[in-house]
Each structure stands twice: as C-alpha cells, then as structure tokens.
C-alpha cells in the first residue's frame, strides 16, 4: 500500500474520531497530522473548512436570541471602531519599523484589525498584491490564529476572566472567526455567544474599509457583507420569532458546534511545512508584535479600565 493511501486512511480515521474530541484537540490533531503524516488533500480541506465554518456560524445563530445579538453588537461597536482604527495605525508604524514589504505589511495589518484571512483576501485585489505577498500575510495570520485558539483560554483561566469579558476579548483580539469560535467554545456557552457576535460585528467592517481603500487608491474594488453574517442574524431572528420550535433550534445549534470541531481539524491540517516556509522573519515579527500589543491593550481596557 503506497504512502498516499495510508495518508488518506489515517485522515479518514481522524475524522471518524471527531465526535469524541473537543475543539482544541481537533486543532492540535490536525496540525500534528499535517506536519508528521501529511495532508493528502490540502486544497480540498482548505475549501471545505471555509464552507463548514460559515455553515457552523449560521447554525450558532439558532442558539441565540435576536435581542442578545443586537445588544452585544451595539455594546461592542465603540471599542470595535476604536480597536480597528488603532490597529491600522499601529500596524502601519510597525511595518516601517520592521521594514516589511509594503503590501505584505498592509495585508497583515488589515487581517489583524478586522477578520484575518477574509480581510486579507478582500483587500489583496485593492492593493494589487502579488500572490507571494498574499501567501505570506495569510501564513502569518494563520499561524498566529492557531496559537491564539490554544493560548487565550489558558490566559483567561489564569486571570479568572468571566465569560462576558473573555468572549469580548477573544472577539476583538483574535484574527479569524474559526479561532474566535474555537477559543470561546472552550471557555463556556456565554463566552461563545458573545465572542461570535462581537467577531461578526467586527467582520462587517471588511466592507467599508475595503471600499474606502479602493476609493483612495482609485481601483474601483467593491465588497459586500459576507453572506454567513447575514445567515447568522437570520438564524437568531428565526429562533426569536418562532420560539415554539425551540427544540429544533437547539439541535441545529448543537450540530453547528460539532461541525466546528471538524472545521478546526481541517484548519489545523492546513498548517503544513509549505505554509510555515512562507512566513518570513520580518512579517512574522510584525504580526506577532502587532497581535501582542492589540491583545494586551484590549485586555487591559476590558479588565482594568472597565469597558464591558
């Protein structure tokens, strides 16, 4: 039996184990599988992980009331705007300090400020970024995302953060939706609900930032609100307007959480040697420094200044 077939069998065996493991275990298992055995379907898993993640986010909406979504989104608007603006300015400054390639620096900054890979993908055409510049930015953000999913819950427990503060912190300071949902699901149901809503509120800013940059650069690039965010709001609306079907909404929400575990395994399986090889020293230093500063300042604001 050739090595490729063994890889596929092992990959299928890991997927069969998904119902009995948690989100963090799934991510770690995916990373180790990819680095030690090798992902037999890297392109397919990358595509399916995005699809399953978006469906999972929509499904999580069935577990929340519309009033909770609106309240959390409204309460997070001010520090979302302040956080995004501050991150963009700080990222621009750090790009010059570390002398990172201009487009790569901007893409890492946008990814950190707004929504990780989604923001990078939306912004790349506006900047006329080359494939290698986009790849380096994605690899940098992807690597930090994997670290955040595992590190944030540990820090939260060490500092004894309540679920509301932790969910808000994760939603504001972690790059991608997958890692926000993964980290908050490890922390608790309330943290998951708040973190997901705050993160999606933050992701909406992809549209105005991309359009504003396009106007400044005169590229004519357009961007719309991601459909899975609309689906999340519609799911919460359905739960609120049709409470008699609460049992089914709960089952859909539970299914979404199981799908999230699959997503994180696929995300981990995408962190291969090629991805790590694309991350240069300067972009990585910029990405780490920016992320640590944003995470630290956000946590200080939430816990000591009293922004809740």
């Amino acid at each position: 039996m050739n090595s490729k077939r063994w890889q596929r069998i092992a990959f299928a065996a890991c997927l069969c184990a998904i119902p009995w493991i948690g989100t963090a275990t799934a991510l770690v298992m995916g990373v180790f599988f990819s680095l030690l055995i090798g992902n037999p379907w890297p392109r397919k898993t990358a595509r399916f992980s995005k699809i399953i993640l978006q469906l999972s986010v929509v499904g999580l909406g069935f577990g929340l009331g519309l009033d909770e979504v609106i309240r959390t989104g409204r309460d997070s608007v001010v520090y979302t705007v302040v956080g995004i603006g501050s991150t963009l300015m700080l990222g621009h400054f750090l790009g010059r300090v570390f002398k990172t390639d201009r487009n790569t620096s901007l893409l890492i900054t946008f990814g950190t400020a707004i929504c990780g890979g989604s923001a990078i993908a939306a912004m790349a055409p506006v900047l006329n970024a080359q494939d290698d510049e986009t790849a380096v930015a994605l690899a940098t953000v992807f690597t930090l995302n994997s670290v955040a999913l595992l590190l944030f819950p540990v820090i939260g427990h060490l500092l004894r953060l309540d679920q509301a503060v932790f969910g808000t912190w994760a939603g504001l300071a972690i790059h991608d939706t997958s890692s926000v949902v993964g980290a908050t699901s490890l922390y608790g149901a309330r943290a998951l609900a708040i973190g997901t809503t705050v993160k999606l509120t933050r992701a909406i800013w992809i549209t105005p930032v991309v359009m504003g940059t396009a106007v400044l650069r005169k590229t004519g690039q357009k961007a719309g609100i991601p459909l899975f965010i609309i689906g999340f709001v519609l799911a919460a609306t359905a739960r609120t307007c049709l409470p008699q079907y609460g049992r089914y909404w709960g089952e859909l929400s539970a299914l979404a959480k199981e799908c999230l575990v699959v997503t994180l395994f696929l995300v981990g399986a995408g962190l291969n040697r090629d991805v790590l090889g694309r991350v240069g020293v300067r972009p990585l230093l910029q990405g780490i420094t920016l992320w640590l500063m944003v995470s630290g300042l956000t946590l200080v604001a939430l816990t000591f200044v009293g922004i809740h």
Side-chain angles (χ1 to χ4, degrees):
M1 188 178 294
N2 60 40
S3 59
K4 199 71 172 180
R5 182 172 294 180
W6 274 115
Q7 286 179 327
R8 292 172 180 173
I9 292 174
F11 194 88
C14 288
L15 286 178
C16 290
I18 292 295
W20 293 277
I21 63 177
T23 49
T25 304
L27 177 73
V28 172
M29 189 165 70
V31 171
F32 276 100
F33 184 94
S34 181
L35 296 179
L36 299 179
I37 300 176
N39 184 348
W41 301 292
R43 293 184 179 179
K44 290 183 179 179
T45 53
R47 184 172 68 252
F48 283 120
S49 67
K50 293 179 182 177
I51 295 172
I52 298 172
L53 171 63
Q54 292 175 359
L55 292 175
S56 298
V57 170
V58 173
L60 291 173
F62 289 112
L64 300 170
L66 184 60
D67 57 338
E68 183 177 359
V69 172
I70 293 173
R71 184 175 62 253
T72 303
R74 182 191 61 218
D75 292 345
S76 67
V77 164
V78 173
Y79 40 83
T80 295
V81 173
V82 172
I84 290 174
S86 301
T87 303
L88 292 176
M89 290 188 290
L90 185 57
H92 178 70
F93 170 74
L94 291 175
R96 291 191 171 189
V97 170
F98 291 109
K99 298 180 180 178
T100 310
D101 173 79
R102 188 170 185 273
N103 279 347
T104 303
S105 172
L106 289 171
L107 290 174
I108 291 172
T109 299
F110 282 121
T112 304
I114 305 174
C115 192
S118 299
I120 291 172
M123 190 60 67
V126 176
L127 301 177
N128 293 319
Q130 300 298 314
D131 289 344
D132 59 335
E133 294 170 334
T134 305
V136 168
L138 286 170
T140 302
V141 168
F142 187 90
T143 303
L144 295 177
N145 260 318
S146 302
V147 174
L149 194 156
L150 300 174
L151 187 61
F152 268 55
V154 174
I155 295 174
H157 287 300
L158 286 175
L159 297 179
R160 298 182 180 179
L161 302 179
D162 65 44
Q163 292 200 29
V165 171
F166 181 83
T168 305
W169 180 45
L172 291 171
I174 298 179
H175 308 76
D176 272 335
T177 305
S178 59
S179 291
V180 171
V181 176
T184 52
S185 66
L186 286 172
Y187 211 77
R190 179 160 171 73
L192 174 62
I194 292 174
T196 302
T197 304
V198 171
K199 177 59 185 174
L200 296 184
T201 302
R202 183 175 153 207
I204 291 173
W205 284 89
I206 290 177
T207 302
V209 172
V210 168
M211 293 179 66
T213 306
V215 169
L216 291 174
R217 286 183 161 249
K218 300 180 181 179
T219 60
Q221 183 72 16
K222 297 181 179 179
I225 298 175
L227 291 177
F228 70 93
I229 298 179
I230 297 174
F232 174 83
V233 175
L234 290 176
T237 302
R239 178 185 177 88
T240 302
C241 296
L242 300 170
Q244 64 270 31
Y245 299 111
R247 173 188 171 186
Y248 301 107
W249 305 142
E251 290 176 352
L252 286 171
S253 178
L255 177 62
K257 292 177 183 178
E258 290 300 318
C259 289
L260 176 64
V261 180
V262 177
T263 300
L264 292 174
F265 172 75
L266 297 179
V267 167
L271 188 64
N272 52 43
R273 294 183 181 89
D274 291 336
V275 171
L276 293 175
R278 294 190 191 110
V279 182
V281 175
R282 294 180 189 276
L284 185 60
L285 286 175
Q286 179 186 346
I288 291 175
T289 305
L290 180 60
W291 179 54
L292 289 176
M293 293 181 74
V294 170
S295 301
L297 291 173
T298 303
L299 183 58
V300 168
L302 291 171
T303 56
F304 297 107
V305 178
I307 303 176
H308 296 288

